[in-house]
Amino acid sequence: MFTNKDIKFRSIYVIDCIKERNLRVSSGELLLEDTEEKKVLTKLPFQKILALFVIGHIRITTPLIEKCKKHNVALVVLKPSLRPVFYWSDAAEANFLLRKKQYLFDKDDISIAKVIVNNKILNQIRLLQKTRCKDALTKQAINDCVLYAEAIESCVDYNELLGIEGRAAKAFFSAYFQDIGWKSRKPRVKSDFVNATLDIGYTFLFNFLECFIRMFGFDLYMGVYHRLWFKRKSLVCDLIEPFRCLVDNVVRTAINKLQIKEDDYKVIKGEYRLKLEKNKEYCQIFFNALVPHKNEIFSYVQSYYRCFMGRKSVEAYPKFILK
């Protein structure tokens, strides 16, 4: 099992392989090679690696997998479009007691889900407050979100909780992105460049958080809020909710700084698709936003694990509060 010391002294590395490259092991180190020029681009000691995020086309060798297994390194491969296609990790697979508790958890019990949604809304309020905007829309959104957060305490129905989360999200997005022509949040539809950018950021967050959740041996498909659905990692969908604020914040900031622009996209059949030459820039933006929070994310997942295993009261479950 990973400890806080592992997280403090090991890093997550992002490797740009839009041009086909090769990963191999030599003298106990990870080597990244240019397959055309046949030269070593970088060397990384496995003891320093927590996870590898590879974007693009890559060749993976058997010794590499063996080394990743030995040092418990998570390996995530994404397409140039930033869509994840492969995840490998050998951590905590034998934790059958944890999975048994997951399978026995009452699907109608929304006590933990209420903590997660409340945490998400509190961070949305914090983001709105940090804008220091005094307009009527922002003030109304803050007031509405405060009421929604308070309403969660008395909520006893799953669909009611979904409705509260949805109304809070609508109020938040309308105010938070009001200066950039916001219309509505449309997940995965990619109807405009802001929604498309949020989807990219949430994808990075999803994969980033999945690395930590896998370390403890959870069944990723058994959530406490998101219901079972074919191939949906419902637990990851649950636990990213409090951290979505990190993506929301960096997207708004990057747009205001013109680091993210509509011209970075091309429209194909009505969908906004990021241009390939912009992948590296966007990758850097999101990982610069997420990686500094790796200790907090690990601590959150670790605390969630301990609470779930110990069947502790909902008051003991962790919250990530944006500073």
Side-chain angles (χ1 to χ4, degrees):
M1 199 71 68
F2 280 92
T3 65
N4 286 308
K5 185 177 180 180
D6 291 314
I7 303 302
K8 183 177 180 180
F9 294 104
R10 298 172 67 180
S11 299
I12 293 171
Y13 291 91
V14 183
I15 300 177
D16 177 14
C17 294
I18 301 302
K19 293 182 179 180
E20 189 169 346
R21 289 172 177 173
N22 181 48
L23 282 177
R24 69 179 182 88
V25 178
S26 178
S27 302
E29 292 185 315
L30 175 67
L31 270 60
L32 175 64
E33 298 177 321
D34 188 305
T35 54
E36 293 182 359
E37 299 183 11
K38 296 182 179 180
K39 69 176 182 180
V40 176
L41 300 175
T42 189
K43 295 181 180 180
L44 298 172
F46 280 91
Q47 294 85 351
K48 297 282 187 179
I49 305 172
L50 180 66
L52 282 173
F53 286 77
V54 182
I55 299 176
H57 311 288
I58 196 71
R59 295 177 183 176
I60 300 174
T61 63
T62 301
L64 172 60
I65 296 295
E66 290 176 343
K67 278 290 184 180
C68 286
K69 183 175 182 178
K70 179 180 178 180
H71 295 282
N72 202 9
V73 175
L75 180 61
V76 183
V77 181
L78 303 96
K79 294 184 68 175
S81 63
L82 305 184
R83 182 173 66 84
V85 294
F86 175 74
Y87 182 98
W88 186 89
S89 176
D90 193 43
E93 290 185 348
N95 198 346
F96 65 90
L97 290 176
L98 170 62
R99 298 194 176 198
K100 183 178 180 181
K101 290 179 182 291
Q102 284 187 272
Y103 302 147
L104 293 176
F105 187 80
D106 185 356
K107 67 179 182 63
D108 294 321
D109 185 345
I110 62 170
S111 58
I112 303 174
K114 288 166 63 176
V115 174
I116 292 171
V117 176
N118 178 265
N119 192 174
K120 177 183 180 179
I121 296 176
L122 290 179
N123 282 332
Q124 289 174 332
I125 294 171
R126 179 64 181 140
L127 282 181
L128 290 170
Q129 292 172 336
K130 288 181 68 176
T131 65
R132 298 184 180 181
C133 293
K134 304 298 182 181
D135 60 280
L137 184 58
T138 300
K139 290 181 179 179
Q140 185 63 51
I142 292 174
N143 291 335
D144 289 345
C145 286
V146 168
L147 293 176
Y148 293 138
E150 293 173 350
I152 289 175
E153 185 176 353
S154 60
C155 178
V156 295
D157 180 75
Y158 176 75
N159 290 324
E160 182 185 356
L161 183 60
L162 281 176
I164 291 173
E165 182 194 13
R167 291 191 293 274
K170 183 177 180 180
F172 165 73
F173 282 116
S174 296
Y176 196 62
F177 291 109
Q178 62 177 302
D179 295 332
I180 50 179
W182 180 261
K183 296 179 181 178
S184 63
R185 175 70 182 128
K186 296 180 180 179
R188 297 172 294 280
V189 175
K190 305 182 191 304
S191 57
D192 56 72
F193 87 100
V194 183
N195 269 290
T197 305
L198 287 171
D199 285 346
I200 293 171
Y202 293 149
T203 297
F204 271 89
L205 175 63
F206 187 97
N207 286 280
F208 189 68
L209 202 67
E210 182 177 337
C211 291
F212 295 99
I213 297 173
R214 282 182 177 269
M215 292 175 187
F216 295 90
F218 282 102
D219 184 332
L220 304 180
Y221 297 89
M222 294 295 297
V224 296
Y225 180 43
H226 291 81
R227 295 307 197 220
L228 286 172
W229 193 263
F230 183 65
K231 286 190 175 183
R232 180 169 71 183
K233 297 170 183 175
S234 296
L235 181 61
V236 187
C237 293
D238 288 350
L239 299 190
I240 71 169
E241 296 295 355
F243 299 96
R244 286 182 183 269
C245 57
L246 298 176
V247 174
D248 301 332
N249 180 53
V250 72
V251 169
R252 184 178 186 272
T253 301
I255 291 175
N256 287 336
K257 291 182 177 180
L258 300 180
Q259 295 171 325
I260 291 175
K261 305 180 292 294
E262 188 168 5
D263 290 343
D264 295 339
Y265 291 83
K266 55 185 177 181
V267 182
I268 301 176
K269 295 182 179 179
E271 291 190 350
Y272 278 72
R273 299 286 180 178
L274 185 65
K275 296 175 181 177
L276 289 180
E277 61 268 24
K278 291 294 180 178
N279 280 355
K280 187 174 182 179
E281 294 177 28
Y282 277 56
C283 173
Q284 198 66 49
I285 289 171
F286 287 116
F287 273 89
N288 284 345
L290 297 178
V291 171
H293 295 279
K294 64 181 182 180
N295 291 336
E296 295 165 281
I297 293 175
F298 176 81
S299 295
Y300 178 92
V301 177
Q302 183 185 57
S303 180
Y304 183 92
Y305 165 77
R306 290 172 175 171
C307 288
F308 196 87
M309 280 292 285
R311 290 292 191 232
K312 296 184 179 180
S313 65
V314 291
E315 289 78 14
Y317 274 77
K319 284 190 175 184
F320 168 72
I321 304 301
L322 185 68
K323 297 178 181 178

